[in-house]
Coordinates of all heavy atoms in Angstrom, one line a residue:
M1 N 0.8 -1.2 0.0 CA 0.0 0.0 0.0 C 0.9 1.2 0.0 O 1.8 1.4 0.8 CB -0.9 0.0 1.2 CG -1.7 1.2 1.4 SD -2.6 1.1 3.0 CE -4.0 2.0 2.5
A2 N 0.7 2.2 -0.9 CA 1.4 3.4 -1.0 C 0.8 4.4 -0.1 O -0.4 4.6 0.0 CB 1.4 3.9 -2.4
W3 N 1.7 5.2 0.7 CA 1.2 6.2 1.5 C 1.3 7.5 0.8 O 2.3 7.9 0.2 CB 2.1 6.3 2.8 CG 1.9 5.1 3.7 CD1 2.7 4.0 3.7 CD2 0.9 4.9 4.6 NE1 2.3 3.1 4.6 CE2 1.1 3.6 5.2 CE3 -0.2 5.6 5.0 CZ2 0.3 3.1 6.1 CZ3 -1.0 5.1 5.9 CH2 -0.8 3.8 6.5
S4 N 0.2 8.3 1.0 CA 0.2 9.7 0.4 C 0.7 10.7 1.4 O 0.7 10.5 2.6 CB -1.3 10.0 0.1 OG -1.5 11.4 -0.2
A5 N 1.3 11.8 0.8 CA 1.8 12.8 1.7 C 0.6 13.7 2.2 O 0.8 14.4 3.2 CB 2.7 13.7 0.9
A6 N -0.5 13.6 1.7 CA -1.7 14.4 2.1 C -2.3 13.8 3.4 O -2.2 12.6 3.6 CB -2.7 14.4 1.0
P7 N -2.9 14.6 4.2 CA -3.6 14.1 5.4 C -4.7 13.1 5.0 O -5.3 13.2 3.9 CB -4.3 15.3 6.0 CG -3.5 16.5 5.5 CD -3.0 16.1 4.2
T8 N -5.0 12.1 5.8 CA -6.0 11.1 5.5 C -7.4 11.6 5.9 O -7.5 12.6 6.6 CB -5.7 9.8 6.2 OG1 -5.7 10.0 7.6 CG2 -4.4 9.2 5.8
T9 N -8.4 11.0 5.4 CA -9.8 11.3 5.8 C -10.0 10.9 7.3 O -9.5 9.8 7.7 CB -10.8 10.5 4.9 OG1 -10.5 10.8 3.6 CG2 -12.2 10.8 5.3
P10 N -10.6 11.8 8.1 CA -10.8 11.5 9.5 C -11.7 10.2 9.7 O -12.6 10.0 9.0 CB -11.5 12.7 10.1 CG -11.3 13.8 9.0 CD -11.1 13.1 7.7
V11 N -11.4 9.5 10.8 CA -12.2 8.4 11.2 C -12.8 8.9 12.5 O -12.1 9.5 13.4 CB -11.3 7.2 11.5 CG1 -12.1 6.1 12.2 CG2 -10.7 6.7 10.2
I12 N -14.1 8.7 12.7 CA -14.8 9.2 13.9 C -14.9 8.0 14.9 O -15.3 6.9 14.5 CB -16.2 9.7 13.6 CG1 -16.2 10.9 12.6 CG2 -17.0 10.0 14.9 CD1 -17.5 11.3 12.1
V13 N -14.5 8.3 16.1 CA -14.6 7.3 17.2 C -15.4 8.0 18.3 O -15.1 9.0 18.8 CB -13.2 6.9 17.8 CG1 -13.4 5.9 18.9 CG2 -12.3 6.3 16.7
A14 N -16.6 7.4 18.6 CA -17.5 8.0 19.5 C -18.3 7.0 20.4 O -18.4 5.9 20.0 CB -18.5 8.9 18.7
N15 N -18.7 7.5 21.5 CA -19.7 6.8 22.3 C -20.6 7.8 23.0 O -20.6 9.0 22.6 CB -18.9 5.9 23.3 CG -18.1 6.6 24.3 OD1 -18.3 7.8 24.6 ND2 -17.2 5.9 25.0
E16 N -21.3 7.4 24.1 CA -22.2 8.4 24.7 C -21.5 9.4 25.5 O -22.1 10.4 25.9 CB -23.2 7.6 25.6 CG -22.6 6.9 26.8 CD -22.1 5.4 26.5 OE1 -21.9 5.1 25.3 OE2 -22.0 4.7 27.4
F17 N -20.2 9.3 25.7 CA -19.5 10.3 26.5 C -18.6 11.2 25.7 O -18.2 12.3 26.2 CB -18.6 9.5 27.6 CG -19.4 8.6 28.4 CD1 -19.2 7.3 28.3 CD2 -20.3 9.1 29.4 CE1 -20.0 6.4 29.1 CE2 -21.0 8.3 30.2 CZ -20.9 6.9 30.1
A18 N -18.1 10.8 24.6 CA -17.1 11.6 23.8 C -17.1 11.2 22.4 O -17.6 10.2 21.9 CB -15.7 11.3 24.4
E19 N -16.6 12.2 21.6 CA -16.4 11.9 20.2 C -15.0 12.5 19.8 O -14.7 13.6 20.2 CB -17.5 12.6 19.4 CG -17.3 12.5 17.9 CD -18.3 13.3 17.1 OE1 -18.3 14.6 17.2 OE2 -19.0 12.7 16.3
V20 N -14.2 11.8 19.0 CA -12.9 12.3 18.5 C -12.8 11.9 17.0 O -13.4 10.9 16.6 CB -11.7 11.7 19.3 CG1 -11.7 12.2 20.7 CG2 -11.6 10.2 19.2
L21 N -12.1 12.7 16.3 CA -11.8 12.4 14.9 C -10.3 12.1 14.9 O -9.5 12.9 15.5 CB -12.1 13.6 14.0 CG -13.6 13.9 13.8 CD1 -14.3 14.5 14.9 CD2 -13.7 14.7 12.5
V22 N -9.9 11.1 14.2 CA -8.5 10.6 14.2 C -8.1 10.6 12.7 O -8.8 10.1 11.9 CB -8.4 9.3 14.8 CG1 -6.9 8.8 14.8 CG2 -8.9 9.3 16.2
R23 N -6.9 11.1 12.4 CA -6.4 11.0 11.0 C -4.8 11.0 11.1 O -4.2 11.5 12.0 CB -6.9 12.1 10.1 CG -6.4 13.5 10.5 CD -6.9 14.5 9.6 NE -6.4 15.8 10.0 CZ -6.2 16.8 9.1 NH1 -6.7 16.7 7.9 NH2 -5.7 17.9 9.6
R24 N -4.2 10.5 10.0 CA -2.8 10.6 9.8 C -2.4 11.9 9.1 O -3.0 12.3 8.1 CB -2.3 9.4 8.9 CG -0.8 9.2 8.8 CD -0.5 8.0 8.0 NE -1.2 7.8 6.8 CZ -0.9 8.5 5.7 NH1 0.1 9.3 5.6 NH2 -1.6 8.3 4.6
V25 N -1.4 12.6 9.6 CA -1.0 13.9 9.1 C 0.5 14.0 8.9 O 1.2 13.7 9.8 CB -1.5 15.0 10.1 CG1 -1.0 16.4 9.6 CG2 -3.0 15.0 10.4
P26 N 0.9 14.4 7.7 CA 2.4 14.6 7.5 C 2.8 16.0 8.2 O 2.0 16.9 8.1 CB 2.5 14.7 6.0 CG 1.2 15.1 5.5 CD 0.2 14.6 6.5
T27 N 3.9 16.0 8.8 CA 4.5 17.2 9.4 C 5.9 17.4 9.0 O 6.5 16.5 8.4 CB 4.4 17.3 10.9 OG1 5.4 16.3 11.5 CG2 3.0 16.9 11.5
R28 N 6.5 18.5 9.3 CA 8.0 18.6 9.0 C 8.8 17.6 9.7 O 9.9 17.3 9.3 CB 8.4 20.0 9.6 CG 7.9 21.2 8.8 CD 8.5 22.5 9.4 NE 8.2 22.7 10.8 CZ 7.3 23.4 11.3 NH1 6.4 24.0 10.5 NH2 7.1 23.5 12.6
N29 N 8.3 17.0 10.8 CA 9.1 16.0 11.6 C 8.6 14.6 11.4 O 8.8 13.7 12.2 CB 9.0 16.4 13.1 CG 9.7 17.7 13.3 OD1 10.7 18.0 12.8 ND2 9.0 18.5 14.1
G30 N 7.9 14.4 10.3 CA 7.4 13.0 10.0 C 5.9 12.9 10.2 O 5.2 13.9 10.5
V31 N 5.4 11.7 10.0 CA 3.9 11.5 10.1 C 3.5 11.4 11.6 O 4.2 10.9 12.4 CB 3.6 10.1 9.4 CG1 2.1 9.8 9.6 CG2 3.9 10.2 7.9
R32 N 2.4 12.0 11.8 CA 1.8 12.0 13.2 C 0.3 11.5 13.1 O -0.3 11.6 12.0 CB 1.8 13.4 13.8 CG 3.1 14.1 13.9 CD 4.0 13.4 15.0 NE 5.2 14.1 15.2 CZ 6.4 13.8 14.7 NH1 6.5 12.8 13.9 NH2 7.4 14.5 15.0
L33 N -0.2 11.0 14.2 CA -1.6 10.7 14.3 C -2.2 11.9 15.0 O -1.8 12.3 16.1 CB -1.8 9.5 15.1 CG -3.3 9.0 15.0 CD1 -3.6 8.4 13.6 CD2 -3.5 7.9 16.1
E34 N -3.2 12.6 14.4 CA -3.9 13.7 15.0 C -5.2 13.2 15.6 O -6.0 12.5 14.9 CB -4.2 14.8 13.9 CG -4.9 16.0 14.5 CD -5.2 17.0 13.4 OE1 -5.5 16.7 12.3 OE2 -5.1 18.2 13.8
V35 N -5.4 13.6 16.8 CA -6.7 13.2 17.5 C -7.3 14.6 17.9 O -6.7 15.4 18.5 CB -6.4 12.4 18.8 CG1 -7.7 12.1 19.5 CG2 -5.6 11.2 18.5
F36 N -8.5 14.8 17.4 CA -9.2 16.0 17.5 C -10.6 15.8 18.2 O -11.3 14.9 17.8 CB -9.5 16.7 16.1 CG -10.3 17.9 16.2 CD1 -9.8 19.1 16.8 CD2 -11.6 18.0 15.6 CE1 -10.6 20.2 16.8 CE2 -12.3 19.1 15.6 CZ -11.9 20.3 16.2
A37 N -10.8 16.6 19.3 CA -12.1 16.5 20.0 C -12.9 17.7 19.6 O -12.7 18.8 20.2 CB -11.8 16.5 21.5
P38 N -13.9 17.6 18.7 CA -14.6 18.8 18.2 C -15.4 19.5 19.3 O -15.5 20.7 19.3 CB -15.5 18.2 17.1 CG -15.5 16.8 17.2 CD -14.3 16.4 18.0
R39 N -15.9 18.8 20.2 CA -16.7 19.4 21.3 C -15.9 20.3 22.1 O -16.3 21.4 22.5 CB -17.4 18.3 22.1 CG -18.4 18.9 23.2 CD -19.2 17.8 23.9 NE -18.3 16.8 24.4 CZ -17.8 16.8 25.7 NH1 -18.0 17.8 26.5 NH2 -17.1 15.8 26.1
L40 N -14.6 20.0 22.4 CA -13.7 20.8 23.2 C -12.9 21.7 22.4 O -12.2 22.6 22.9 CB -12.8 19.9 24.0 CG -13.6 18.9 25.0 CD1 -12.6 18.0 25.7 CD2 -14.3 19.7 26.0
G41 N -12.8 21.4 21.0 CA -11.9 22.2 20.2 C -10.4 22.0 20.5 O -9.6 22.9 20.2
R42 N -10.1 20.8 21.0 CA -8.7 20.5 21.3 C -8.2 19.4 20.4 O -8.9 18.6 19.9 CB -8.6 20.1 22.7 CG -9.1 21.2 23.7 CD -8.6 21.1 25.0 NE -7.2 21.0 25.1 CZ -6.5 21.3 26.2 NH1 -7.2 21.8 27.2 NH2 -5.2 21.2 26.2
R43 N -6.9 19.4 20.1 CA -6.2 18.4 19.3 C -4.8 18.1 19.8 O -4.3 18.9 20.6 CB -6.1 18.8 17.9 CG -5.1 19.9 17.6 CD -5.0 20.3 16.2 NE -3.9 21.3 16.0 CZ -2.9 21.0 15.3 NH1 -2.7 19.9 14.6 NH2 -1.9 21.9 15.2
I44 N -4.3 17.0 19.4 CA -3.0 16.6 19.8 C -2.4 15.8 18.6 O -3.2 15.1 17.9 CB -2.9 15.8 21.1 CG1 -1.4 15.6 21.5 CG2 -3.6 14.5 21.0 CD1 -1.3 15.1 22.9
L45 N -1.1 16.0 18.3 CA -0.4 15.2 17.3 C 0.5 14.3 18.0 O 1.3 14.7 18.8 CB 0.3 16.1 16.4 CG -0.5 17.1 15.5 CD1 0.4 18.1 14.8 CD2 -1.4 16.4 14.6
L46 N 0.4 13.0 17.7 CA 1.2 12.0 18.4 C 2.1 11.3 17.4 O 1.6 10.9 16.3 CB 0.4 10.9 19.1 CG -0.6 11.5 20.1 CD1 -1.6 10.4 20.6 CD2 0.2 12.1 21.3
D47 N 3.4 11.1 17.7 CA 4.3 10.3 16.8 C 4.3 8.9 17.2 O 3.6 8.4 18.1 CB 5.7 10.9 16.8 CG 6.4 10.7 18.2 OD1 6.0 9.9 19.0 OD2 7.4 11.4 18.4
A48 N 5.0 8.0 16.4 CA 5.0 6.6 16.6 C 5.4 6.2 18.0 O 4.7 5.3 18.6 CB 5.8 5.9 15.6
L49 N 6.4 6.8 18.6 CA 6.8 6.4 19.9 C 5.8 6.8 21.0 O 5.5 6.0 21.9 CB 8.2 7.1 20.3 CG 8.7 6.8 21.7 CD1 9.0 5.3 21.8 CD2 10.0 7.5 21.9
E50 N 5.1 7.9 20.8 CA 4.1 8.3 21.8 C 2.9 7.4 21.7 O 2.3 7.0 22.7 CB 3.6 9.8 21.5 CG 4.7 10.8 21.8 CD 4.5 12.1 21.2 OE1 3.9 12.3 20.2 OE2 4.9 13.1 21.9
L51 N 2.6 6.9 20.5 CA 1.5 6.0 20.3 C 1.9 4.6 20.9 O 1.1 4.0 21.6 CB 1.1 5.8 18.8 CG 0.4 7.0 18.2 CD1 0.4 6.9 16.7 CD2 -1.0 7.2 18.8
E52 N 3.1 4.2 20.7 CA 3.5 2.9 21.3 C 3.5 3.0 22.8 O 3.1 2.0 23.5 CB 4.9 2.6 20.8 CG 5.4 1.2 21.3 CD 6.8 0.9 20.9 OE1 7.1 0.9 19.6 OE2 7.6 0.5 21.7
A53 N 3.9 4.1 23.3 CA 3.9 4.3 24.8 C 2.5 4.1 25.4 O 2.4 3.6 26.5 CB 4.4 5.7 25.2
L54 N 1.4 4.4 24.6 CA 0.1 4.1 25.1 C -0.1 2.6 25.4 O -0.8 2.2 26.3 CB -1.0 4.5 24.1 CG -1.1 6.0 23.9 CD1 -2.1 6.3 22.7 CD2 -1.6 6.7 25.2
T55 N 0.6 1.8 24.6 CA 0.4 0.3 24.8 C 1.1 -0.2 26.0 O 0.9 -1.3 26.5 CB 0.9 -0.5 23.5 OG1 2.3 -0.4 23.5 CG2 0.2 0.0 22.3
W56 N 2.0 0.6 26.6 CA 2.7 0.2 27.8 C 1.9 0.5 29.1 O 2.3 0.1 30.1 CB 4.0 1.0 27.9 CG 4.9 1.0 26.7 CD1 5.0 0.0 25.7 CD2 5.9 1.9 26.4 NE1 5.9 0.3 24.8 CE2 6.5 1.5 25.2 CE3 6.3 3.1 27.0 CZ2 7.5 2.3 24.6 CZ3 7.3 3.9 26.4 CH2 7.9 3.4 25.2
Q57 N 0.8 1.2 28.9 CA 0.0 1.6 30.1 C -1.0 0.6 30.5 O -1.4 -0.3 29.8 CB -0.7 3.0 29.8 CG 0.2 4.0 29.2 CD 1.5 4.2 30.0 OE1 1.5 4.3 31.2 NE2 2.6 4.3 29.3
T58 N -1.4 0.8 31.8 CA -2.4 -0.1 32.3 C -3.8 0.7 32.3 O -3.8 1.9 32.2 CB -2.1 -0.5 33.8 OG1 -2.2 0.7 34.6 CG2 -0.8 -1.1 34.0
P59 N -4.9 0.0 32.3 CA -6.2 0.6 32.4 C -6.3 1.6 33.5 O -7.0 2.6 33.4 CB -7.2 -0.5 32.5 CG -6.5 -1.7 31.8 CD -5.0 -1.5 32.2
A60 N -5.6 1.4 34.6 CA -5.6 2.3 35.8 C -5.1 3.7 35.5 O -5.7 4.6 36.0 CB -4.8 1.7 36.9
L61 N -4.1 3.8 34.6 CA -3.6 5.1 34.2 C -4.7 5.9 33.5 O -4.9 7.1 33.8 CB -2.4 5.0 33.3 CG -2.0 6.3 32.7 CD1 -1.1 7.0 33.7 CD2 -1.4 6.2 31.4
F62 N -5.5 5.3 32.7 CA -6.5 6.0 31.9 C -7.6 6.4 32.9 O -8.2 7.4 32.8 CB -7.0 5.2 30.8 CG -5.9 5.0 29.7 CD1 -5.2 3.8 29.7 CD2 -5.6 6.0 28.8 CE1 -4.2 3.6 28.7 CE2 -4.6 5.8 27.9 CZ -3.9 4.7 27.9
S63 N -7.9 5.5 33.9 CA -8.9 5.9 34.9 C -8.5 7.1 35.7 O -9.3 8.0 35.9 CB -9.1 4.7 35.9 OG -9.7 3.6 35.2
D64 N -7.2 7.2 36.0 CA -6.6 8.3 36.7 C -6.7 9.6 35.8 O -7.1 10.7 36.3 CB -5.2 8.1 37.1 CG -5.0 7.1 38.2 OD1 -6.0 6.7 38.8 OD2 -3.9 6.6 38.3
L65 N -6.5 9.5 34.6 CA -6.5 10.6 33.6 C -8.0 11.2 33.6 O -8.2 12.4 33.4 CB -6.1 10.2 32.2 CG -4.6 10.0 32.1 CD1 -4.3 9.4 30.7 CD2 -3.8 11.2 32.3
L66 N -8.9 10.3 33.7 CA -10.3 10.7 33.6 C -10.9 11.3 34.8 O -12.1 11.7 34.8 CB -11.2 9.5 33.1 CG -10.9 9.1 31.7 CD1 -11.7 7.8 31.3 CD2 -11.2 10.2 30.7
E67 N -10.1 11.4 35.9 CA -10.6 12.1 37.1 C -10.8 13.6 36.7 O -11.7 14.2 37.4 CB -9.6 12.0 38.2 CG -9.6 10.6 38.8 CD -8.6 10.4 40.0 OE1 -8.1 11.5 40.4 OE2 -8.4 9.3 40.4
E68 N -10.1 14.1 35.8 CA -10.3 15.5 35.3 C -10.7 15.3 33.8 O -9.8 15.5 32.9 CB -9.1 16.4 35.4 CG -8.8 16.7 36.9 CD -7.7 17.7 37.0 OE1 -7.7 18.8 36.2 OE2 -6.8 17.5 37.8
P69 N -11.9 15.0 33.5 CA -12.3 14.5 32.1 C -12.1 15.6 31.0 O -12.0 15.2 29.9 CB -13.8 14.1 32.3 CG -14.3 14.9 33.4 CD -13.1 15.0 34.4
F70 N -12.0 16.8 31.4 CA -11.9 17.9 30.3 C -10.5 18.3 30.2 O -10.2 19.3 29.6 CB -12.9 19.0 30.5 CG -14.3 18.5 30.5 CD1 -15.1 18.5 31.6 CD2 -14.8 18.1 29.3 CE1 -16.4 18.0 31.5 CE2 -16.1 17.6 29.2 CZ -16.9 17.6 30.3
G71 N -9.5 17.7 30.9 CA -8.1 18.0 30.8 C -7.7 19.2 31.7 O -8.6 19.8 32.3
P72 N -6.4 19.4 31.7 CA -5.9 20.5 32.6 C -6.2 21.9 32.0 O -6.3 22.0 30.8 CB -4.4 20.2 32.6 CG -4.1 19.5 31.3 CD -5.4 18.7 31.0
T73 N -6.4 22.8 32.8 CA -6.5 24.2 32.4 C -5.4 25.0 33.2 O -5.0 24.6 34.2 CB -7.9 24.8 32.7 OG1 -8.1 24.7 34.1 CG2 -8.9 24.1 31.9
D74 N -5.1 26.2 32.7 CA -4.1 27.0 33.4 C -4.8 27.7 34.6 O -6.0 27.8 34.6 CB -3.3 27.9 32.5 CG -4.2 29.1 31.9 OD1 -5.1 29.5 32.6 OD2 -3.8 29.6 30.9
P75 N -4.0 28.2 35.5 CA -4.6 28.8 36.7 C -5.5 30.0 36.4 O -6.4 30.4 37.2 CB -3.4 29.2 37.6 CG -2.3 28.4 37.1 CD -2.6 28.1 35.6
T76 N -5.4 30.7 35.3 CA -6.2 31.8 34.9 C -7.5 31.4 34.3 O -8.3 32.3 34.0 CB -5.4 32.8 34.0 OG1 -5.2 32.1 32.7 CG2 -4.1 33.2 34.6
G77 N -7.7 30.1 34.1 CA -9.0 29.6 33.5 C -9.0 29.5 32.0 O -9.9 29.0 31.4
G78 N -7.8 29.8 31.4 CA -7.7 29.7 29.9 C -7.3 28.3 29.5 O -6.9 27.5 30.4
R79 N -7.3 28.1 28.2 CA -6.8 26.8 27.7 C -5.3 26.8 27.7 O -4.7 27.9 27.5 CB -7.3 26.5 26.4 CG -8.8 26.2 26.4 CD -9.3 26.0 24.9 NE -10.7 25.9 24.9 CZ -11.3 24.8 24.8 NH1 -10.7 23.7 24.7 NH2 -12.7 24.8 24.7
L80 N -4.7 25.6 27.7 CA -3.2 25.5 27.6 C -2.9 25.8 26.1 O -3.7 25.6 25.2 CB -2.8 24.1 28.0 CG -2.9 23.8 29.5 CD1 -2.5 22.4 29.7 CD2 -2.0 24.7 30.3
P81 N -1.7 26.3 25.8 CA -1.3 26.5 24.4 C -1.4 25.2 23.6 O -1.1 24.2 24.0 CB 0.1 27.0 24.5 CG 0.4 27.4 25.9 CD -0.6 26.6 26.7
E82 N -1.9 25.4 22.3 CA -2.0 24.2 21.5 C -0.7 23.9 20.8 O 0.2 24.8 20.7 CB -3.0 24.5 20.4 CG -4.5 24.7 20.9 CD -5.0 23.4 21.5 OE1 -4.6 22.3 21.0 OE2 -5.8 23.4 22.4
D83 N -0.5 22.7 20.3 CA 0.6 22.3 19.6 C 0.8 23.2 18.3 O -0.2 23.5 17.6 CB 0.5 20.9 19.1 CG 1.7 20.2 18.6 OD1 2.5 21.0 18.0 OD2 1.8 19.0 18.7
D84 N 2.0 23.7 18.1 CA 2.1 24.7 17.0 C 2.7 24.0 15.7 O 3.0 24.7 14.7 CB 3.0 25.8 17.4 CG 4.4 25.4 17.7 OD1 4.7 24.2 17.7 OD2 5.2 26.3 18.0
E85 N 2.7 22.7 15.6 CA 3.2 22.1 14.4 C 2.2 22.3 13.3 O 1.0 22.5 13.5 CB 3.3 20.6 14.5 CG 4.5 20.2 15.4 CD 4.9 18.7 15.2 OE1 5.1 18.3 14.0 OE2 4.9 18.0 16.2
E86 N 2.6 22.4 12.0 CA 1.7 22.6 10.9 C 0.8 21.4 10.8 O 1.0 20.4 11.4 CB 2.4 23.0 9.6 CG 3.5 22.1 9.3 CD 4.2 22.6 8.0 OE1 4.8 23.7 7.9 OE2 4.1 21.8 7.0
G87 N -0.3 21.6 10.0 CA -1.2 20.5 9.8 C -2.5 20.7 10.5 O -3.1 19.8 11.1
G88 N -2.9 22.0 10.6 CA -4.2 22.4 11.3 C -5.4 21.6 10.8 O -5.4 21.1 9.7
W89 N -6.3 21.4 11.6 CA -7.5 20.5 11.3 C -8.3 21.1 10.2 O -8.7 22.2 10.3 CB -8.3 20.3 12.6 CG -9.3 19.2 12.4 CD1 -10.6 19.4 12.0 CD2 -9.1 17.8 12.5 NE1 -11.1 18.1 11.8 CE2 -10.3 17.2 12.1 CE3 -8.0 17.0 12.8 CZ2 -10.4 15.8 12.1 CZ3 -8.1 15.7 12.8 CH2 -9.3 15.1 12.5
V90 N -8.6 20.3 9.3 CA -9.6 20.6 8.2 C -10.6 19.5 8.2 O -10.3 18.4 7.8 CB -8.9 20.8 6.8 CG1 -9.9 21.1 5.8 CG2 -7.8 21.8 6.9
A91 N -11.8 19.9 8.6 CA -12.8 18.8 8.7 C -13.4 18.5 7.3 O -13.4 19.2 6.4 CB -14.0 19.3 9.6

């Protein structure tokens, strides 16, 4: 299978609690997996090592992460700075 340099079509993963769009995105530093939460307007780009690191975790880690289900905020109440790599989300 040949890989295109263009971003892939998003795949929607959803349940009654959350919805994310996932796609492969080329960047200056190689291919990343972009995970976008449209309801929150947040995204993250993960490289292969970061994705592999997810497989090293136990379900307990994810339970701990969900204690703050909407993620961290800064002390002033604003959102944390977004990743500045190119490849902004195009739905």
Side-chain angles (χ1 to χ4, degrees):
M1 173 184 213
W3 290 99
S4 167
T8 60
T9 302
V11 172
I12 298 171
V13 179
N15 64 20
E16 63 272 24
F17 304 110
E19 175 184 62
V20 295
L21 286 76
V22 181
R23 69 180 181 155
R24 187 177 49 81
V25 178
T27 71
R28 291 184 301 263
N29 296 317
V31 175
R32 303 289 187 262
L33 188 71
E34 180 178 36
V35 181
F36 175 66
R39 186 171 54 87
L40 299 175
R42 300 200 55 156
R43 73 180 184 116
I44 188 167
L45 297 173
L46 302 170
D47 67 18
L49 182 58
E50 292 164 330
L51 289 167
E52 183 180 309
L54 291 175
T55 69
W56 308 335
Q57 309 311 313
T58 65
L61 172 84
F62 296 99
S63 294
D64 292 344
L65 289 173
L66 291 173
E67 286 182 11
E68 292 187 47
F70 300 109
T73 57
D74 72 26
T76 64
R79 292 179 187 258
L80 294 173
E82 293 294 328
D83 190 333
D84 63 357
E85 287 195 58
E86 47 181 67
W89 192 266
V90 177

